[in-house]
Amino acid sequence: MKIGYKGITGDYGCRAAKELADSAGLLDPDFVPFPDFKSAAEALGNGTIDMAAAMLFNSVDGENKETSAALEDMAYTKVTAAVVPLHLCIYGQKGFAVKDNINKIVSSPAAIKRTEHFCKDKFPFTKIIEAASSKEAAQKLSEGEYGKYAAVICRKDEGTRFGLTLMYENAEDKEIMALFALIRKATT
């Protein structure tokens, strides 16, 4: 049994896939990461994977448009569903976490929006810079691209993956919950 998900090992998609597989009573499935949900949906459609963990909705943005678009032309059934909390963290460069010296924070537009008040409170004079994704921002910070006094907003697994120093956990302005479903292609 192969279950696909969007993301990397340890992130929300992976954790949701494992929780959903457990709740469905699936024994020892193989979990397959995909760079985006469209790729996972294509693999589900062509039979490369048996099921996929799909984020259907989150409490900030509503319906997940990426998932909806990827499943638009596919008949599927929901096996089980679960609500998963989504948390954001603020990381500094490896070994550097002097919060008072941060002069810029970089992340995706969505992560910046979700932590706006937190960042204004903790870093009132810090420049906020948009990046294509929080993962990309974390990687570039780890490579020194943003300088010593930069920080990023990202998921905990992303900051850990790139060896960054955790400054703040749960930096989102309000709790974000996501509805994930374990789906399979419908049989005709």
Side-chain angles (χ1 to χ4, degrees):
M1 168 75 52
K2 291 183 180 179
I3 299 174
Y5 63 91
K6 172 189 171 180
I8 59 173
T9 301
D11 74 358
Y12 303 123
C14 179
R15 289 189 320 215
K18 289 178 179 181
E19 183 178 324
L20 292 165
D22 286 346
S23 71
L26 302 174
L27 302 176
D28 202 26
D30 291 323
F31 295 98
V32 182
F34 288 90
D36 52 50
F37 190 74
K38 180 180 179 186
S39 300
E42 288 170 356
L44 183 63
N46 68 30
T48 305
I49 60 174
D50 303 295
M51 296 183 191
M55 183 194 299
L56 303 177
F57 179 89
N58 80 54
S59 60
V60 172
D61 302 317
E63 180 183 14
N64 187 302
K65 291 176 179 35
E66 178 189 6
T67 302
S68 298
L71 296 174
E72 187 173 61
D73 296 324
M74 182 189 301
Y76 65 92
T77 58
K78 294 176 190 170
V79 176
T80 187
V83 175
V84 176
L86 307 180
H87 296 292
L88 295 168
C89 300
I90 298 179
Y91 280 90
Q93 280 213 356
K94 184 176 183 175
F96 183 84
V98 182
K99 299 169 187 171
D100 297 336
N101 291 337
I102 296 300
N103 62 19
K104 64 183 145 193
I105 297 175
V106 185
S107 194
S108 69
I112 290 168
K113 178 182 173 187
R114 293 174 182 165
T115 60
E116 180 179 12
H117 299 293
F118 185 92
C119 288
K120 282 182 183 176
D121 179 52
K122 302 293 183 191
F123 303 99
F125 305 108
T126 302
K127 184 176 182 179
I128 306 295
I129 301 169
E130 289 186 4
S133 72
S134 59
K135 177 183 170 187
E136 175 187 289
Q139 181 174 2
K140 286 183 177 182
L141 181 66
S142 75
E143 295 167 352
E145 188 167 320
Y146 300 129
K148 183 175 182 179
Y149 300 101
V152 295
I153 305 163
C154 62
R155 297 185 319 253
K156 191 168 189 176
D157 61 288
E158 291 171 335
T160 302
R161 177 181 184 198
F162 293 109
L164 301 175
T165 299
L166 180 64
M167 297 174 135
Y168 292 102
E169 226 174 319
N170 301 331
E172 60 276 359
D173 293 335
K174 63 180 180 178
E175 188 173 54
I176 306 167
M177 303 300 282
L179 173 64
F180 281 85
L182 187 61
I183 62 170
R184 76 174 86 200
K185 187 175 174 182
T187 56
T188 54

